[in-house]
Each structure stands twice: as structure tokens, then as C-alpha cells.
Amino acid sequence: MTAPPPSPSAPADPRGFPRWRVYAAVAVALIAVVGVIVGARIVSNRPDRSVDDPLLLAGVQAPGATTPACAALVAALPAELGGLPRRQIEHGDDPSLTGAAAWGEPPVVLRCGIPTPAELTCTAAVQEVDGVAWLPLSTGGDTTYFVVDRSVRVALTVPGEVTSTGPWQDASTLIAATLPKRDICLGGVPQPADGE
């Protein structure tokens, strides 16, 4: 009696696995890898990220945030500052946040239209970067630089973890190109900012 002929089947590899299963497993793995790469690129290329710390901007008054000078500055703000990506700030109904922007993590925060700091006097030690006079004030490891020679006060808060001067340099270049310079003091007292 002769054995029946073998039934036709897919070729198998030497270990006895059907090749179609090996091909399917490889295809699934490749699709998963491509999905992870594409997903990572989409997330990393998003220009805006939410600022999720409500204390980051809370309690800071900005009476000049809606002035024409702040509007011009905010319109010129870049997608990157010192190589840090811009983050989204939910303004809601708070007009003081219309002059706020943030970049990076931990965030470098720019505020336009804030009040004149009490530390500004006509003899205060200011630092000039790209023709912009800044009054630096440090608190808890962070440094806030206040623009003092423009019609509006701009504050740039740089966390202690950010060691590059890139954000400060880029902000100086932008402010010099956007806001006209003026004297810090008039008649022996600091000039008030717009909105004060």
C-alpha cells in the first residue's frame, strides 16, 4: 500500500515553522517600529506644548500687556528662543496673559507689560545686551531680567537649570528690533511704563 501524497502546504524553514508566519511576524515588528518613529517625530515637532504649572504665571500683574508695544512684541515672538521650543499658554479670559510666552522645560518665561520693579532706581546696576538695558534680579536660583529702557517693562525669567545665555541674547535681539529705546530715568526718577 502506497502512502498518500503529501498535501500541499507553505514552504517551511528548517526548524519546521511555516515561512508565512515568520514573514508576518517581521512585518508586524516593522510596522510597530515605524509607528513609534513617526509618533515620536510628530510629538517632537509640535511647536507648542502646554504650560502645565498654573503657578508659573499666577499672581503676576501685567497692566501693560494689552498696549500696542506689547502687542508688537508678542506678534514678533519666535517659535524658538535660544534653541528652546515655544510652549502654549492658555490665556483664557486673563488679559495679563496676552503678553506672556514660554519656551523649553523647565520653562523660560517672557512677560510683557508688567509693573516697574521696586529695585529699579536711576543708579541701579543694569546690564546691556544688544543695546537693551536689563535689571537682573535673582530669586531661589532663578534669574528674572527686566527690560528698563523701553516704554513697556518686559521680564524674562530664566530657571537656574538653564545655563545657556541663548534665551537672554535672543530676547535682547528681538526687543532691540521691536521696541524703541528711551531713557531709563527722567528728572532723576525712573520713567513709568505704559499702562502704569
Side-chain angles (χ1 to χ4, degrees):
M1 187 175 234
T2 349
S7 61
S9 64
D13 73 7
R15 288 167 278 183
F17 292 122
R19 286 189 182 162
W20 70 267
R21 287 188 180 175
V22 174
Y23 296 147
V26 169
V28 168
L30 285 174
I31 289 170
V33 168
V34 168
V36 167
I37 291 171
V38 169
R41 284 193 178 168
I42 289 170
V43 169
S44 68
N45 287 336
R46 284 191 307 196
D48 295 335
R49 297 188 189 131
S50 293
V51 174
D52 38 24
D53 181 359
L55 298 177
L56 182 68
L57 301 168
V60 178
Q61 296 300 312
T66 58
T67 61
C70 281
L73 181 62
V74 169
L77 292 176
E80 284 193 0
L81 192 75
L84 302 174
R86 182 134 176 216
R87 298 171 60 164
Q88 182 177 342
I89 295 177
E90 296 299 330
H91 294 172
D93 294 330
D94 188 347
S96 69
L97 295 182
T98 60
W103 295 264
E105 177 60 40
V108 170
V109 178
L110 181 140
R111 298 294 308 261
C112 186
I114 61 168
T116 301
E119 293 84 354
L120 179 62
T121 65
C122 294
T123 57
V126 298
Q127 297 179 2
E128 192 165 308
V129 179
D130 275 354
V132 178
W134 298 86
L135 174 67
L137 300 175
S138 295
T139 51
D142 299 344
T143 302
T144 299
Y145 301 92
F146 293 89
V147 173
V148 295
D149 63 346
R150 299 305 195 256
S151 66
V152 287
R153 300 285 179 242
V154 180
L156 183 72
T157 300
V158 180
E161 299 90 335
V162 177
T163 57
S164 166
T165 60
W168 189 25
Q169 181 72 48
D170 286 358
S172 297
T173 302
L174 178 66
I175 289 165
T178 309
L179 303 176
K181 188 172 186 169
R182 71 171 193 180
D183 291 334
I184 297 171
C185 291
L186 187 63
V189 295
Q191 293 198 60
D194 292 352
E196 287 187 329

